[in-house]
Amino acid sequence: MGIIFGIGYKLSKRRLFLIGLFGYLLANAAFFFFREGGFAGLEQGATGAGLGVFADLTFVELVSLLIVPSGYSFIYTGLLLLGYLFTSITVALSRKNAEA
């Protein structure tokens, strides 16, 4: 995802912050989804809850799950930002070399 954002958007502090925030929120939601059994396990006949894991959450619980950090969200966000920065710099340098 960071590579796609790096190709599509020019590098700026505002975009870096917005992409980091989006990745952080997405990582927290994904971690909750995996932890609560959104996917089926490897057992025979196992069924996953799917998006039903979010069905019984109140607004406060939803905000809490999106904001409270975990190690997974920090690692995912860091990798996302590294991919974005690396790709943005590479694309900017290739465009600069093409113009010269």
Side-chain angles (χ1 to χ4, degrees):
M1 192 164 73
I3 294 171
I4 293 170
F5 285 140
I7 292 171
Y9 298 108
K10 291 184 179 179
L11 187 62
S12 72
K13 289 180 183 178
R14 189 181 84 210
R15 288 189 181 124
L16 184 67
F17 174 75
L18 290 175
I19 289 171
L21 179 65
F22 176 70
Y24 177 78
L25 296 175
L26 184 66
N28 282 339
F31 183 66
F32 179 79
F33 181 77
F34 295 139
R35 189 180 63 213
E36 296 298 319
F39 281 125
L42 297 175
E43 305 85 22
Q44 185 176 5
T47 57
L51 293 177
V53 297
F54 299 108
D56 296 331
L57 295 177
T58 64
F59 179 74
V60 173
E61 291 172 333
L62 183 65
V63 169
S64 174
L65 106 86
L66 291 176
I67 293 178
V68 174
S70 67
Y72 174 79
S73 61
F74 287 133
I75 291 170
Y76 180 82
T77 305
L79 291 174
L80 171 75
L81 292 176
L82 281 175
Y84 172 67
L85 287 172
F86 178 75
T87 308
S88 293
I89 291 169
T90 304
V91 168
L93 288 175
S94 67
R95 287 179 183 158
K96 188 175 184 180
N97 289 338
E99 292 174 358

